[in-house]
PDB file of all heavy atoms in Angstrom:
ATOM      1  N   LEU A  87      -3.431 137.224-106.528  1.00 61.00           N
ATOM      2  CA  LEU A  87      -3.933 138.221-107.476  1.00 61.00           C
ATOM      3  C   LEU A  87      -3.203 138.072-108.812  1.00 61.00           C
ATOM      4  O   LEU A  87      -1.976 137.978-108.847  1.00 61.00           O
ATOM      5  CB  LEU A  87      -3.734 139.636-106.920  1.00 61.00           C
ATOM      6  CG  LEU A  87      -4.544 139.991-105.671  1.00 61.00           C
ATOM      7  CD1 LEU A  87      -4.237 141.422-105.252  1.00 61.00           C
ATOM      8  CD2 LEU A  87      -6.028 139.827-105.924  1.00 61.00           C
ATOM      9  N   LYS A  88      -3.978 138.014-109.826  1.00 62.00           N
ATOM     10  CA  LYS A  88      -3.389 137.902-111.153  1.00 62.00           C
ATOM     11  C   LYS A  88      -2.985 139.291-111.643  1.00 62.00           C
ATOM     12  O   LYS A  88      -3.785 140.214-111.666  1.00 62.00           O
ATOM     13  CB  LYS A  88      -4.389 137.283-112.123  1.00 62.00           C
ATOM     14  CG  LYS A  88      -3.812 137.018-113.503  1.00 62.00           C
ATOM     15  CD  LYS A  88      -4.833 136.359-114.381  1.00 62.00           C
ATOM     16  CE  LYS A  88      -4.246 136.087-115.762  1.00 62.00           C
ATOM     17  NZ  LYS A  88      -5.238 135.440-116.652  1.00 62.00           N
ATOM     18  N   VAL A  89      -1.734 139.429-111.947  1.00 57.00           N
ATOM     19  CA  VAL A  89      -1.193 140.718-112.390  1.00 57.00           C
ATOM     20  C   VAL A  89      -1.028 140.679-113.904  1.00 57.00           C
ATOM     21  O   VAL A  89      -0.324 139.798-114.444  1.00 57.00           O
ATOM     22  CB  VAL A  89       0.161 141.021-111.719  1.00 57.00           C
ATOM     23  CG1 VAL A  89       0.708 142.354-112.194  1.00 57.00           C
ATOM     24  CG2 VAL A  89       0.006 141.017-110.208  1.00 57.00           C
ATOM     25  N   ASN A  90      -1.688 141.546-114.546  1.00 62.00           N
ATOM     26  CA  ASN A  90      -1.554 141.664-116.004  1.00 62.00           C
ATOM     27  C   ASN A  90      -0.429 142.646-116.325  1.00 62.00           C
ATOM     28  O   ASN A  90      -0.517 143.832-116.011  1.00 62.00           O
ATOM     29  CB  ASN A  90      -2.870 142.152-116.616  1.00 62.00           C
ATOM     30  CG  ASN A  90      -3.983 141.128-116.452  1.00 62.00           C
ATOM     31  OD1 ASN A  90      -3.719 139.929-116.508  1.00 62.00           O
ATOM     32  ND2 ASN A  90      -5.207 141.601-116.239  1.00 62.00           N
ATOM     33  N   VAL A  91       0.616 142.133-116.846  1.00 56.00           N
ATOM     34  CA  VAL A  91       1.764 142.973-117.209  1.00 56.00           C
ATOM     35  C   VAL A  91       1.556 143.478-118.636  1.00 56.00           C
ATOM     36  O   VAL A  91       1.473 142.664-119.577  1.00 56.00           O
ATOM     37  CB  VAL A  91       3.075 142.186-117.111  1.00 56.00           C
ATOM     38  CG1 VAL A  91       4.254 143.072-117.488  1.00 56.00           C
ATOM     39  CG2 VAL A  91       3.243 141.631-115.709  1.00 56.00           C
ATOM     40  N   PRO A  92       1.421 144.762-118.815  1.00 56.00           N
ATOM     41  CA  PRO A  92       1.186 145.273-120.181  1.00 56.00           C
ATOM     42  C   PRO A  92       2.438 145.125-121.046  1.00 56.00           C
ATOM     43  O   PRO A  92       3.558 145.308-120.573  1.00 56.00           O
ATOM     44  CB  PRO A  92       0.820 146.740-119.945  1.00 56.00           C
ATOM     45  CG  PRO A  92       1.471 147.090-118.655  1.00 56.00           C
ATOM     46  CD  PRO A  92       1.444 145.855-117.823  1.00 56.00           C
ATOM     47  N   LYS A  93       2.187 144.743-122.254  1.00 57.00           N
ATOM     48  CA  LYS A  93       3.288 144.631-123.211  1.00 57.00           C
ATOM     49  C   LYS A  93       3.434 145.952-123.969  1.00 57.00           C
ATOM     50  O   LYS A  93       2.460 146.520-124.455  1.00 57.00           O
ATOM     51  CB  LYS A  93       3.026 143.497-124.201  1.00 57.00           C
ATOM     52  CG  LYS A  93       2.948 142.129-123.550  1.00 57.00           C
ATOM     53  CD  LYS A  93       2.736 141.047-124.580  1.00 57.00           C
ATOM     54  CE  LYS A  93       2.690 139.687-123.921  1.00 57.00           C
ATOM     55  NZ  LYS A  93       2.480 138.623-124.922  1.00 57.00           N
ATOM     56  N   THR A  94       4.637 146.406-124.027  1.00 54.00           N
ATOM     57  CA  THR A  94       4.905 147.694-124.703  1.00 54.00           C
ATOM     58  C   THR A  94       5.913 147.482-125.823  1.00 54.00           C
ATOM     59  O   THR A  94       6.787 146.600-125.727  1.00 54.00           O
ATOM     60  CB  THR A  94       5.445 148.722-123.693  1.00 54.00           C
ATOM     61  OG1 THR A  94       6.645 148.218-123.122  1.00 54.00           O
ATOM     62  CG2 THR A  94       4.431 149.004-122.595  1.00 54.00           C
ATOM     63  N   THR A  95       5.760 148.268-126.810  1.00 55.00           N
ATOM     64  CA  THR A  95       6.720 148.228-127.939  1.00 55.00           C
ATOM     65  C   THR A  95       7.302 149.618-128.128  1.00 55.00           C
ATOM     66  O   THR A  95       6.642 150.631-127.841  1.00 55.00           O
ATOM     67  CB  THR A  95       6.024 147.794-129.235  1.00 55.00           C
ATOM     68  OG1 THR A  95       4.955 148.694-129.517  1.00 55.00           O
ATOM     69  CG2 THR A  95       5.469 146.371-129.102  1.00 55.00           C
ATOM     70  N   SER A  96       8.508 149.646-128.528  1.00 54.00           N
ATOM     71  CA  SER A  96       9.192 150.935-128.700  1.00 54.00           C
ATOM     72  C   SER A  96       9.826 150.977-130.095  1.00 54.00           C
ATOM     73  O   SER A  96      10.408 149.985-130.563  1.00 54.00           O
ATOM     74  CB  SER A  96      10.281 151.102-127.637  1.00 54.00           C
ATOM     75  OG  SER A  96      11.008 152.289-127.867  1.00 54.00           O
ATOM     76  N   ASN A  97       9.723 152.161-130.782  1.00 57.00           N
ATOM     77  CA  ASN A  97      10.342 152.348-132.088  1.00 57.00           C
ATOM     78  C   ASN A  97      11.775 152.830-131.996  1.00 57.00           C
ATOM     79  O   ASN A  97      12.458 152.945-133.003  1.00 57.00           O
ATOM     80  CB  ASN A  97       9.531 153.364-132.914  1.00 57.00           C
ATOM     81  CG  ASN A  97       8.132 152.829-133.212  1.00 57.00           C
ATOM     82  OD1 ASN A  97       7.984 151.616-133.441  1.00 57.00           O
ATOM     83  ND2 ASN A  97       7.151 153.721-133.238  1.00 57.00           N
ATOM     84  N   ASN A  98      12.184 153.130-130.772  1.00 55.00           N
ATOM     85  CA  ASN A  98      13.546 153.620-130.576  1.00 55.00           C
ATOM     86  C   ASN A  98      14.492 152.435-130.579  1.00 55.00           C
ATOM     87  O   ASN A  98      14.370 151.547-129.722  1.00 55.00           O
ATOM     88  CB  ASN A  98      13.644 154.404-129.286  1.00 55.00           C
ATOM     89  CG  ASN A  98      14.995 155.119-129.158  1.00 55.00           C
ATOM     90  OD1 ASN A  98      15.846 155.032-130.050  1.00 55.00           O
ATOM     91  ND2 ASN A  98      15.159 155.828-128.049  1.00 55.00           N
TER      92      ASN A  98
END
Side-chain angles (χ1 to χ4, degrees):
L87 294 180
K88 185 178 180 180
V89 180
N90 294 325
V91 180
K93 297 182 179 180
T94 59
T95 58
S96 175
N97 296 323
N98 189 1

